[in-house]
Amino acid sequence: MSTQGYEEELRSERGYVAELYTRLDAERARVRREYTSALRGTGGTHMERDDQVRASAREMRRLDVADTGLCFGRLDTLSGESSYIGRIGLFDEENDYEPVLLDWRAPASRAFYVATAAFPENMRRRRQFHSRGRVVVDFTDEVLGRPEGDARGDAALLAAVNAPRGPGMRDIVATIQAEQDEIIRLDHPGVLVIEGGPGTGKTVVALHRVAYLLYTQRERMERHGVLVVGPNPAFLNHISRVLPSLGESDVVFMTTGDLVPGLRVTAEDPPEVARLKGSLKILDVLAAAVADRQQLPADPVPIELGGVALRIDAETAEWARDEARASGRPHNEARAVFAEIITYVLTERAIGRISKGWLNRSDREGWEQTRAELLKDLADDDKFTATLDDLWPTLTPESLLGSLFSSPDRLRAAGGDPVLARADGDAWTVSDVPLLDELVDLLGRDQAIDQAAERERKAQAQYAAAVLDSMHGRADSMDDEDHLYATDLLYAEDLAERFEERDTRELAERAAADRDWTYRHVVVDEAQELSEMDWRVLMRRCPGRSFTVVGDLAQRRTEAGARSWGTMLDPYVPDRWKYRSLTVNYRTPAEIMTVAAAVLADFAPTVQPPESVRACGVVPWSRQVTPDGLTAAIDDFIRDESTREGTSIVIGPPGIPGVVPASETKGLEFDAVLVVEPDHILSDGPRGAAELYVALTRATQRLGVLHQGPLPQSLAGLVELHPSGHNT
């Protein structure tokens, strides 16, 4: 294309994109009017108005995210037709709703990502736009169907991966590669495992897959939403902008420490303790701990009933306990069976002694009346209630687990390893969370509390209905001189509707607060770190078993984590999980990946490192410092990087001021990384090499290493700088 021809095409494309923004603004204005009308509206019920407000709010969010990069490409077919590709779909209402912009997730957009010179997908040309704000700055064309054609999207891809990093992960909607697009659009209803080394884009691919599923299965998924589970809060904050940038907000972000509502746990157990708690063998310990709280009296407990001295003996309590356990109910719910047997025995014995033969069982009415009076007496008897609490206490997951870990005797009785004991039973760790979740099912709910809440709700609803009936009654009986204002009836109707079964919170807020909430799809990142007990919790959260699982077995750092995907998944979905791998490293330049690959070869020699798509031209370096010079060298790095565009971080073993442990950087990326004391990282536990591998592969441009002792042999490929900071 000549320079003049290019400029004419550029003006034309700018004009078309400007028209798209005009349509976007008009659509925004229309939806905002609908939203405002729904907020102020009085027609329909509260529930109907709430639904309209939520629908309009979702649509506003969808349109708002499209302001930047609304249209990023164009496809031209062999027959001369053109389609524009963008973040959302826009349609011409005056022309039979013809699409003027295709959503990137639409089937017709697929060729934009997968067409190649060898396999053009019936396309003649792919055009990619580079925009600043709302204006197209320039474009690049790729002519398809020619064997000598360039590789797909090299210019746009390299521009994206070389760009300085910001505070959060960016979407890749404009530069999705063919191997990534295949995974994003994969039609598989079960569990999809995406494995890839550092920098292969597995996390962002999983998030785009969520956006694709929400687009293609909106009706099935939007009422239950999607759960995204990540390794730590920093990681979740890093990725939290991707899905909203794609117009999706019905997503809940959690770590495994957040899976029980009301808890936000980040503390970790020592490796051996975490391994024990993460194994399914802990289920036997939990069941035994519950059974241990279902006691028999050491000595008969005296109870006075109807003026008669009675006793709750071990034989009676054992019968009641056997019946309660045989009911199959959770502990707290089975308490009712236990209490029923105890009260039956006591009232039968009391009636028999009270009547002295004058009250016969054939006198059913008299017998039942006497029994009712005795039952009331037992209900009011504090000693009887206290005895029930001793023999079959109402328990919470926190009270049972806390007392188990803080009592060596209870732990021994439950068959738990002594290493699980701790002084503060309530000092929760991440490994405790799946145990607490399991105990929710083992213990069940406190029926007395549930029944009281239900009685309160019914009383409020009855009051509201009575107010409404009263208002309507007044209206019917009024003469011409009486007045009943419309606001009176509206107040009464509002009061009645307030007690309908509805919840005005956003889906993500409701789901995060409800332990029994079930999701339509779950994304698990850094999944190699999850234990068997963690998987048990997540499978409980998603009965449909629809998962996108992202991880890299070579980066596993916890003893409780996965050594193979089948070990974790086969118990739940033996025939419903598929494996896909990503092999191209889009983040780590070849110079840095060469260094990291040497570390990988030491601890996982059978694992093939991902191939970097680019080189950065900057050589990774190492520098030996004295103990007194370590802090100054770190400060030098921070000062130098503060003058550059992008992000940086110092990674190293815990305990050094200003240094972040490698475990807290998993899934993150930075323009520059300084790794401090790699030999200390290697020596920190059995997975130290994996930690060092993670640390080295966080950098997208520049990598430096500071060390006081000898440099580990696996890092011999680094260029050693003179203590002054110059090449030796």
Side-chain angles (χ1 to χ4, degrees), residues 33 43 76 219 279 322 350 388 523 576 594 684 698:
R33 287 194 300 271
D76 297 342
E219 185 175 345
S279 169
D322 290 345
L388 286 182
V523 176
R576 290 188 58 220
T594 299
D684 185 19
R698 299 308 95 193

Side-chain angles (χ1 to χ4, degrees), residues 670-724:
F670 306 88
D671 291 271
V673 171
L674 179 66
V675 177
V676 177
E677 300 288 35
D679 55 330
H680 291 185
I681 298 176
L682 282 171
S683 63
D684 185 19
R687 300 299 298 177
E691 295 276 74
L692 180 58
Y693 182 58
V694 168
L696 295 171
T697 54
R698 299 308 95 193
T700 66
Q701 301 290 342
R702 300 176 294 282
L703 172 67
V705 174
L706 294 179
H707 59 104
Q708 296 182 61
L711 196 66
Q713 184 60 37
S714 58
L715 297 181
L718 291 168
V719 173
E720 181 72 22
L721 299 185
H722 187 272
S724 65

Side-chain angles (χ1 to χ4, degrees), residues 559-611:
E559 285 299 302
R563 286 168 171 77
S564 74
W565 300 117
T567 300
M568 297 301 186
L569 298 177
D570 283 344
Y572 304 100
V573 285
D575 301 316
R576 290 188 58 220
W577 69 275
K578 288 188 176 182
Y579 176 88
R580 294 291 185 272
S581 63
L582 293 169
T583 58
V584 178
N585 190 331
Y586 301 100
R587 176 177 67 216
T588 316
E591 295 91 337
I592 296 176
M593 199 61 220
T594 299
V595 175
V599 174
L600 178 67
D602 262 10
F603 75 94
T606 62
V607 177
Q608 184 70 26
E611 182 179 355

Side-chain angles (χ1 to χ4, degrees), residues 128-149:
Q128 292 181 294
F129 300 136
H130 173 216
S131 299
R132 186 174 295 116
R134 291 188 164 201
V135 179
V136 177
V137 177
D138 55 40
F139 66 82
T140 57
D141 280 347
E142 180 186 357
V143 178
L144 303 170
R146 296 180 179 178
E148 67 275 13

Side-chain angles (χ1 to χ4, degrees), residues 20 34 117 366 536 580 583:
L20 292 178
E34 291 180 355
R536 189 172 169 88
R580 294 291 185 272
T583 58

